[in-house]
Amino acid sequence: MTTMGIDPAQLSEDDLVRELRQLHATRSDTFFHGSDDALSRHTSRTNELESEYLRRHPDREVDPYRLREGARQR
């Protein structure tokens, strides 16, 4: 895997979260209006950062309302 930008494993926790939030905020615009290359790069960078976040936080808090059972209760 080739990383463009800083290797996610080298990012501080704050930087990792900030980068993830920025990528998620720009996803729709990139999807609807970006070139194929831009969309591909956006997707791969998002995957890199999300994988690093999950590696660091394997037991992250999961909102019970985001689960199927929780959705049914709503």
Side-chain angles (χ1 to χ4, degrees):
M1 169 174 66
T2 302
T3 297
M4 291 182 71
I6 298 172
D7 181 346
Q10 301 303 313
L11 292 171
S12 70
E13 186 69 15
D14 288 343
D15 289 339
L16 177 61
V17 170
R18 186 186 69 248
E19 291 292 318
L20 279 167
R21 289 188 189 285
Q22 179 63 27
L23 281 169
H24 284 267
T26 60
R27 182 63 182 178
S28 291
D29 191 49
T30 304
F31 180 77
F32 287 112
H33 307 292
S35 67
D36 289 345
D37 287 343
L39 180 59
S40 177
R41 184 65 206 124
H42 196 280
T43 299
S44 63
R45 184 62 174 170
T46 300
N47 288 339
E48 291 171 359
L49 295 170
E50 287 179 346
S51 293
E52 177 61 20
Y53 185 88
L54 292 172
R55 185 189 70 75
R56 293 183 192 186
H57 303 280
D59 298 321
R60 73 191 193 290
E61 180 181 337
V62 175
D63 181 345
Y65 288 106
R66 300 291 298 183
L67 302 173
R68 184 172 292 161
E69 186 62 34
R72 286 185 186 130
Q73 292 175 6
R74 284 185 269 159

